[in-house]
Amino acid sequence: MHPEDRPIHFSTELFYPPFQVKIPVLQKLYYELSQTPGASYQSADFAMPGPPRFFSRRSGNTQSIVLFLPDRLVVVEEWVDIPLESFLKKVLEVARRTFDAFELTAFVAQTVTLRTVFSLSDFQDARAFMLEQICGLTEEKLSSFGRPIGVGGMRFVFPPTPEDPEELHLLVESFRHNVHELFVEVQAFLANVEINGKSLERIVDNIRRVRAFIDGRVRSFLEPYDHKSAQ
């Protein structure tokens, strides 16, 4: 496998006890972020019926979004053009200012979603790599479906443990946008956490743990199969 993967999506949800989101507070928050390098957004949308949002759109489908729901804050980078560390700085700044603006007592749960793609070294067709090389599913076995398969992959769910408190959902499949690449999505769910104003760094630590799982565990699982001689 190629030594560097290509991230395409970063996001995190930060949950808090439900309350009514007030537009004047958001307007002030939007201005504060506009004065903060690396955490500003081009536009804001407070019109109903959708949730209030800050957003920026750049080349192609690349966009940055912050959503403010009654029970959570959502920070998203779609088709990313920034490194993960820049996203982490943005998340921390948005979380800190939101925490102060709405006088929150704690974030009580967090989700993390990271999506990336890996380029294969010895295989040109990622679909065949997943179905045949990893899963051992030949064309003859798959003929039972009576239809061609456009995307093939596998899904795992890892429950929390004393050492790893987050539940992880892992999806590995051929990338629908490029036949030469594998798509990897990892979602982490952390329930019943207590992240207060003095422990906001835990938010980015949790995101880093998901990235480390991709770098270490997911890559080490996939790499041995990316050889024509692999069984």
Side-chain angles (χ1 to χ4, degrees), residues 156-195:
F156 303 89
V157 176
F158 304 92
T161 68
E163 297 78 20
D164 301 298
E166 66 277 359
E167 178 176 297
L168 288 180
H169 293 209
L170 168 64
L171 175 65
V172 184
E173 64 184 25
S174 52
F175 190 35
R176 67 179 65 249
H177 299 290
N178 188 333
V179 69
H180 304 301
E181 294 179 316
L182 283 178
F183 171 84
V184 171
E185 176 188 85
V186 178
Q187 293 182 296
F189 301 87
L190 294 108
N192 303 315
V193 300
E194 182 78 15
I195 302 175

Side-chain angles (χ1 to χ4, degrees), residues 113-140:
T113 301
L114 300 184
R115 299 182 184 128
T116 191
V117 292
F118 287 89
S119 294
L120 300 171
S121 297
D122 281 6
F123 290 82
Q124 293 298 309
D125 186 339
R127 183 193 63 86
F129 173 80
M130 285 301 308
L131 294 176
E132 298 173 19
Q133 184 76 351
I134 294 185
C135 299
L137 298 172
T138 63
E139 291 292 340
E140 181 180 0

Side-chain angles (χ1 to χ4, degrees), residues 73-128:
L73 167 70
V74 185
V75 187
V76 180
E77 294 288 326
E78 192 67 76
W79 295 105
V80 302
D81 60 357
I82 61 173
L84 180 63
E85 284 302 314
S86 296
F87 174 68
L88 298 181
K89 292 177 182 177
K90 179 182 289 189
V91 166
L92 192 58
E93 192 66 35
V94 172
R96 182 179 66 81
R97 292 185 180 273
T98 300
F99 195 93
D100 293 340
F102 289 104
E103 299 180 348
L104 301 176
T105 57
F107 292 114
V108 297
Q110 181 181 4
T111 72
V112 177
T113 301
L114 300 184
R115 299 182 184 128
T116 191
V117 292
F118 287 89
S119 294
L120 300 171
S121 297
D122 281 6
F123 290 82
Q124 293 298 309
D125 186 339
R127 183 193 63 86

